[in-house]
Amino acid sequence: MTKSTQLDIRSTDFDLHALELDALLALRLYLDEKEYGSNITQDIDDLDQYPDRLLSSYREEWIVYCKPRLKSTYLERKADEVTQLDAIIAALNNCIKHPESQNSRLIHKVRAVQQMLNSDDVSFIESTPARQIRKLIRFDE
């Protein structure tokens, strides 16, 4: 069995859709590549103005970001030898079990926004740009 095959088989152990949001964020932070062009810190800070993004787009964006990085080509860059793979898998599992280990400020902020959005005491007010887009989509109303 080649190194790539072993990595592909092991990377299927992660069901990204089943992860809690904070665990998915921790995994996204662990797999972050600065040259990707996305500033995850800014995305989380934007939740102050646009908390609806946590419900609408961030989860899918993070899944789309993480999925290819759990494939063999990315993991091979992190592991020079197959013996290092266990350490990488352990680090990925640690991200999922202990999300705060990646960036506690961002994790706590996402948890707070998520709790606020799930609260019965908080009403969601749609942002003006979102309202305008929705109106444009339903132009017949």
Side-chain angles (χ1 to χ4, degrees), residues 80-95:
D80 295 331
E81 301 173 10
V82 175
T83 55
Q84 292 178 330
L85 179 60
D86 287 336
I88 290 174
I89 297 296
L92 292 171
N93 281 319
N94 187 53
C95 285

Side-chain angles (χ1 to χ4, degrees), residues 6-41:
Q6 289 173 345
L7 288 169
D8 284 339
I9 291 169
R10 294 293 300 274
S11 67
T12 60
D13 295 338
F14 298 97
D15 181 4
L16 300 176
H17 294 280
L19 292 178
E20 294 291 329
L21 196 59
D22 57 351
L24 182 59
L25 174 58
L27 197 59
R28 165 65 178 83
L29 291 167
Y30 179 78
L31 297 170
D32 191 42
E33 296 177 1
K34 301 298 181 209
E35 67 274 4
Y36 177 70
S38 174
N39 185 341
I40 188 67
T41 303

Side-chain angles (χ1 to χ4, degrees), residues 99-122:
E100 311 80 24
S101 66
Q102 289 305 304
N103 186 320
S104 61
R105 183 184 75 82
L106 297 182
I107 298 294
H108 289 298
K109 185 167 193 166
V110 164
R111 285 177 178 164
V113 171
Q114 188 176 25
Q115 184 177 13
M116 176 193 69
L117 291 171
N118 291 333
S119 173
D120 292 336
D121 298 331
V122 175

